[in-house]
Amino acid sequence: MTQLQIGPHAVWPPVVLAPMAGITNAPFRTLCREFADGVRGFGGRAPDVPAAPGAAAVPGAPDVAAADPPGASDVPDAANPPGSPGAAPAVRKGLFVSEMITTRALVERDAKTMRLVHFDAREKPRSIQLYGVDPATVGKAVRMIADEDLADHIDLNFGCPVPKVTRKGGGSALPYKRPLLRAILREAVSGAGALPVTMKMRKGIDDDHLTYLDAGRIAVEEGVTAIALHGRTAAQHYGGTADWDAIARLREAVPEIPVLGNGDIWSAEDAVRMVRETGCDGVVVGRGCLGRPWLFGDLAAAFEGTGAPAAPTFREVAAVMRRHAELLGEWLEDEARGVVDFRKHIAWYTKGFSVGSEMRRRLAVSSSLAELDELLGALDGDQPWPAGADGPRGRTSGRDRVVLPEGWLDDARRRGW
C-alpha cells in the first residue's frame, strides 16, 4: 500500500477525520492531530516506538518516519525549497477536515461561518468541507477559498443524511440528480485552480435508488481528486451495518483516483481490516473518534506496524477532557462558552467508566474550568480503559424514509436515469 495522495498533499497513514457538525472545529482537530503526530500519548509511551518482534504493518506501507518524524516542523529545506526539483513533499499524518460549511453563508461572509473556516497556523494542509445545492454559489465559494488562500484542500459534501439538508435536495439526496451533480463538480474544480477537490458521498438514497457508481464515474470525468464513500444509504442514516463491499466495488469502478472508505471504523484494527478487505486507498473516521481523539495515534501505530499505544486510564482521559474544554474556551474567546460547548462530549469521553448518574448530570451542567477540574478530580483516576469502550458511539439509528423535495425522484424516471 502506498501513501495517500490528495493533489500535492502526501498523507500517511491514509486517515481522514470526517467532518462532523459541532464537533470537528479547530480545538478538536488540534487534539486529533497531536495524537496522530505523537505529540501526545498515554502511559509515558509515544506512538512511534519501534515495532515489537512480529508486529506487522499494512502490506506495502511506505517508510516515511525519517521524512516527517512526530512533531516535525514545517520549516522548508533551505537547499531544496518547496517546489524545487530536489524537494520531497512533507508527509502528513492524516487529514483533519473542518465542519461542513454552507456555501451561501461563506459567500455572504456570515460571522459564525468565517470563524469556522479559520485554521490554526500549524494545520497543514487546511481542509474545508463545503455543502451547497446551487452550482453558481458553490463555484463562488470555491473561488473565494482559492483567491483568499483560506484552505489547501476542498471537500464537497454529498453524504449528509439529515432531513434539513436532504429536504433541500442537498447532501446524500443530491447525487440522484446526475446533471446537477456534474454541474456542481465542474464549477468547483474549475474555481479551485490548483487546489485539490474531493467529495464524500453515500451509496444512494435507499437500496432502490443507488447512485454511488454513477457518481464515482462523474467525479472522475469532472476532475475530482479523490472520493470517500460511506457504505450506507441515506435511509439507513447511521443504523445497520456499513456495506464495505460497496467500497470495494467503487474502488474497482474508479481506478483512476483514490477511494476512501467510511463506516463502522471503531478501532485501528477496523481501519486496517477495511483497507485489506476492500482495497481502498485510505479511511475516513467519524463517530469512532467521538470522545477518543487519541484514536488517531492508534491509527498511526496500526498502519505503521508499531506497537499499539497504551490505553488511557481515566486520569489520562480526564486530562484530555480538560484540555479539550480549555481549547474550546480559547477558540470561542470565552471560558464559560467553551465549557458549555464541551458538555456534548462528556458522555462520549466517560463511556464505560464508573462515573455514576449524579456525577454525569453535574458534569453535563458544568460552566467553568474550575468546576470541571473539581468534578473530574473527585472521580477514581486509576480506572483502566473499560472493556468494550472501543465499540460504537454516537448516533446508531436508522430512518423510515428520507425527506426529499417534492417530486425529487420523478425527474429521473422521465429522463431514463
Side-chain angles (χ1 to χ4, degrees), residues 145-195:
I145 291 170
D147 293 345
E148 298 180 21
D149 189 29
L150 298 180
D152 306 302
H153 158 232
I154 296 169
D155 185 58
L156 299 177
N157 183 307
F158 300 114
C160 183
V162 302
K164 70 178 182 180
V165 171
T166 59
R167 69 163 46 98
K168 297 178 181 178
S172 53
L174 196 146
Y176 195 75
K177 300 290 191 182
R178 276 76 159 179
L180 177 59
L181 174 66
R182 185 182 295 277
I184 288 176
L185 294 179
R186 185 168 297 177
E187 283 287 333
V189 172
S190 174
L195 299 183

Side-chain angles (χ1 to χ4, degrees), residues 94-407:
L95 285 179
F96 303 93
V97 187
S98 74
E99 299 180 59
M100 184 179 75
I101 304 298
T102 302
T103 51
R104 186 169 298 282
L106 180 61
V107 169
E108 294 174 353
R109 297 184 181 274
D110 171 77
K112 181 179 178 181
T113 299
M114 296 310 291
R115 177 187 291 276
L116 293 177
V117 300
H118 174 73
F119 290 87
D120 184 278
R122 294 167 295 178
E123 292 193 72
K124 296 183 184 299
R126 301 161 298 168
S127 297
I128 285 180
Q129 189 186 68
L130 296 179
Y131 153 74
V133 297
D134 174 57
T137 304
V138 172
K140 289 178 183 177
V142 169
R143 284 189 291 274
M144 176 179 168
I145 291 170
D147 293 345
E148 298 180 21
D149 189 29
L150 298 180
D152 306 302
H153 158 232
I154 296 169
D155 185 58
L156 299 177
N157 183 307
F158 300 114
C160 183
V162 302
K164 70 178 182 180
V165 171
T166 59
R167 69 163 46 98
K168 297 178 181 178
S172 53
L174 196 146
Y176 195 75
K177 300 290 191 182
R178 276 76 159 179
L180 177 59
L181 174 66
R182 185 182 295 277
I184 288 176
L185 294 179
R186 185 168 297 177
E187 283 287 333
V189 172
S190 174
L195 299 183
V197 175
T198 61
M199 62 181 275
K200 186 171 185 287
M201 63 181 180
R202 286 185 172 233
K203 290 170 58 182
I205 292 174
D206 54 33
D207 288 339
D208 294 326
H209 303 91
L210 299 178
T211 55
Y212 70 103
L213 294 178
D214 285 350
R217 290 311 312 166
I218 291 170
V220 170
E221 292 163 7
E222 295 302 328
V224 168
T225 302
I227 305 171
L229 176 65
H230 186 152
R232 287 182 171 88
T233 62
Q236 285 181 276
H237 206 64
Y238 295 99
T241 302
D243 180 5
W244 288 9
D245 289 340
I247 297 169
R249 287 191 289 271
L250 181 63
R251 169 67 285 171
E252 294 173 357
V254 291
E256 301 93 333
I257 62 175
V259 169
L260 292 86
N262 175 230
D264 293 352
I265 297 178
W266 309 113
S267 67
E269 291 74 19
D270 289 336
V272 172
R273 183 167 59 85
M274 176 184 277
V275 170
R276 286 180 172 149
E277 291 182 5
T278 69
C280 66
D281 301 282
V283 298
V284 179
V285 179
R287 292 171 297 148
C289 68
L290 295 174
R292 294 169 61 211
W294 54 86
L295 178 58
F296 288 89
D298 296 353
L299 288 161
F303 277 101
E304 292 173 356
T306 62
T313 63
F314 183 75
R315 180 175 292 104
E316 291 169 318
V317 170
V320 178
M321 293 173 68
R322 208 278 186 186
R323 174 160 166 75
H324 193 168
E326 183 178 16
L327 286 171
L328 281 166
E330 293 173 357
W331 181 62
L332 294 169
E333 300 179 331
D334 184 316
E335 177 184 311
R337 286 181 63 200
V339 175
V340 169
D341 191 80
F342 176 71
R343 292 173 182 173
K344 69 171 77 83
H345 298 270
I346 289 171
W348 296 322
Y349 274 112
T350 59
K351 179 182 178 180
F353 284 108
S354 179
V355 175
S357 58
E358 175 60 20
M359 180 59 79
R360 289 183 192 277
R361 185 196 67 78
R362 294 175 64 189
L363 284 166
V365 297
S366 56
S367 58
S368 71
L369 290 175
E371 184 179 4
L372 190 62
D373 288 340
E374 180 182 355
L375 294 172
L376 292 174
L379 295 168
D380 178 9
D382 293 327
Q383 294 181 68
W385 181 250
D390 289 340
R393 49 187 56 216
R395 296 166 292 181
T396 57
S397 61
R399 291 191 181 276
D400 293 333
R401 68 184 183 92
V402 181
V403 181
L404 299 169
E406 184 69 26

